[in-house]
Amino acid sequence: MQSIIAPSSVALIGASEDYAKFGGRILHHLVDHDFTGRIYPINPKRETVLGLTCYPSIEELPEPADLAVVAVPAHRLEETIEACGRAGTGACIVITAQLGEFSAEGAALEKRVVEIARGYNMRLIGPNCMGMIVPQADLALSSTPTLRYAGKLRKGGVSFVSQSGAMMGTLFLQSHDHGVGLSGMVSIGNQADVELCDFLEGFIE
């Protein structure tokens, strides 16, 4: 859990400079809020993104990433998780929605994705989540647009774990506006693998 909450390296699949896209928004947040770990943008159509070296696939990174952010269409999810597993990725935050919360077909896909990840001893956060904001690790790894309007992340001793990404984003903004520092905030979505109690225990530790 510690390498999820405070990763040394983050891979962003589908990285972009376009803030309107999930991959662009999360990358901007990582850079703008001064994440000090290694950032690996992944986009086969780009050589650089926001001045960072861009890689064609997660399997071509110079090292296995502690954490990868996956925001791909549902039909590409299995192959993407498989690639992350082959690359030795520690865990994936799966932003992709329309899985177990959407339909029986989506629930079946969600189950297959979890089985793929477990075959590689890789953990999954989500799917159908909005990521994490961990001020103690200078980590703004979320698609919530409230991060665009926040200044330096205020650090404190309170952590918050929510199923809802909207709730996480709203309470982050409220705490920021009231000068309340946070240790971390997580949107856990469907909890297909890592669950609320895993994060509670991780933050307590």
Side-chain angles (χ1 to χ4, degrees), residues 63-149:
E63 64 173 336
D66 283 343
L67 196 57
V69 181
V70 178
V72 300
H75 70 271
R76 288 186 49 210
L77 189 55
E78 285 183 86
E79 65 184 67
T80 302
I81 296 300
E82 184 81 46
C84 290
R86 287 196 302 266
T89 307
C92 294
I93 295 178
V94 184
I95 308 294
T96 306
Q98 297 189 350
L99 277 85
E101 82 288 356
F102 185 70
S103 66
E105 182 182 355
L109 172 59
E110 184 175 297
K111 183 178 179 181
R112 293 197 301 274
V113 165
V114 172
E115 290 172 351
I116 291 169
R118 287 180 177 166
Y120 289 102
N121 197 30
M122 180 174 68
R123 306 308 303 267
L124 298 182
I125 299 90
N128 182 38
C129 72
M130 290 183 70
M132 308 187 300
I133 305 168
V134 188
Q136 292 288 10
D138 295 313
L139 181 68
L141 196 60
S142 173
S143 57
T144 177
T146 55
L147 279 163
R148 190 175 200 182
Y149 306 104

Side-chain angles (χ1 to χ4, degrees), residues 25-103:
R25 197 177 308 162
I26 296 172
L27 182 59
H28 275 278
H29 293 163
L30 269 175
V31 172
D32 293 347
H33 290 282
D34 301 322
F35 176 59
T36 57
R38 296 173 295 284
I39 302 173
Y40 296 122
I42 297 170
N43 187 329
K45 298 179 181 178
R46 299 289 300 272
E47 293 186 0
T48 62
V49 181
L50 294 183
L52 299 169
T53 300
C54 203
Y55 296 85
S57 74
I58 194 163
E59 294 177 87
E60 296 182 55
L61 298 185
E63 64 173 336
D66 283 343
L67 196 57
V69 181
V70 178
V72 300
H75 70 271
R76 288 186 49 210
L77 189 55
E78 285 183 86
E79 65 184 67
T80 302
I81 296 300
E82 184 81 46
C84 290
R86 287 196 302 266
T89 307
C92 294
I93 295 178
V94 184
I95 308 294
T96 306
Q98 297 189 350
L99 277 85
E101 82 288 356
F102 185 70
S103 66

